[in-house]
Amino acid sequence: MTAIRISGTALADTLRAEVAQGVSRLQSTTGVTPGLAVVLVGEDPASQVYVRNKIKQTEAVGMRSTHHLLAADTSATALLALIDQLNADPAVHGILVQLPLPPHLEAKAVIEAIDPRKDVDGFHTQNVGSLWTEGCGFVPCTPLGCLHLLQTVRRDIAGLHAVIVGRSTIVGRPMAALLLNESCTVTIAHSKTQALPALCKTADILVAAVGRPQMIKAEWIKPGAIVLDVGINRIAQSDGSTRLVGDVDFEAALAVAGAITPVPGGPGPMTIACLLANTLEAATRMASA
Ligand code: GUN
């Protein structure tokens, strides 16, 4: 068997085109241009790349993009003052503080300071609670993108066993809530889970979000399973160059899985497309409030 490759690049293109249409429609009916403010503290190279992509794609769909690049030693007081200012700005409909923050800043306090109606990352406790109670708050972008990718290969996932490897607040936990809301039977595995290979092998849907390059082997995968690989790991090659790989041993997994996302070109592009969709939704809600 050779698995279907689920293209995040193609689906993200489609979703971005829909968002661009939605932006035009909102502008023509209400005069409102959705605005996304991106905040980056410090100079983490990976975060700089993500933020540059977010800004570029926000502008490409016709939204207003503002960015705030702050020094690594920015105080909590200064950062919270900026959040207050963005909360009060009617031209800003979405606020994204790129994580991780430098160690002296507490991410939780910063996220809780964001107006939940502008929390397009879906990280504020009000949106987290909404997700777990099947409310209509914002859903974190990476898990939301994964659900869209999964639904391209299988619509009805009720009753399937989903195993999520990784319990982060950005991916693992919200992914569990989303799949539970779709009536999957959900198991969250993590670094202390016993007999992980055997557990993974029981998964109809396997979500890898651990951040360990190629950790999940073909033998851990149930034949025909749908595999969503959220990992983005840069590894060195023998010729001195580097390449990106996921948390799954992709080439070997292709022979066992029913469908699998590649890295790069899987959940990554969908994360930004879902961020744009959430920002359009935030602006739409505010325009009609
Ligand atoms: N860092 C890694 N992923 C994300 C994300 O989805 N949102 C934010 N704000 N920071 C991140």
Side-chain angles (χ1 to χ4, degrees), residues 47 50 54 96-100 121 123 140-142 170-171 271:
S47 292
Y50 293 139
K54 284 170 185 173
L96 180 141
V97 178
Q98 186 66 28
L99 302 177
D121 255 331
F123 294 164
C141 305
T142 301
I170 295 182
V171 183
T271 297

Side-chain angles (χ1 to χ4, degrees), residues 134-176:
E134 297 187 84
C136 52
F138 290 108
V139 176
C141 305
T142 301
L144 184 57
C146 284
L147 181 64
H148 288 317
L149 289 168
L150 173 57
Q151 288 173 331
T152 63
V153 288
R154 181 140 179 187
R155 262 336 279 186
D156 183 13
I157 55 174
L160 297 187
H161 184 207
V163 173
I164 299 157
V165 188
R167 58 176 155 180
S168 72
T169 51
I170 295 182
V171 183
R173 290 168 201 240
M175 189 78 237

Side-chain angles (χ1 to χ4, degrees), residues 107-123:
K108 192 161 176 46
V110 175
I111 289 162
E112 294 308 307
I114 297 172
D115 182 336
R117 292 168 303 175
K118 298 189 177 188
D119 169 39
V120 285
D121 255 331
F123 294 164

Side-chain angles (χ1 to χ4, degrees), residues 58-80:
T58 305
E59 290 167 353
V61 294
M63 294 187 189
R64 186 174 293 119
S65 167
T66 55
H67 52 275
H68 303 266
L69 309 178
L70 308 180
D73 63 355
T74 297
S75 69
T77 311
L79 181 55
L80 291 173

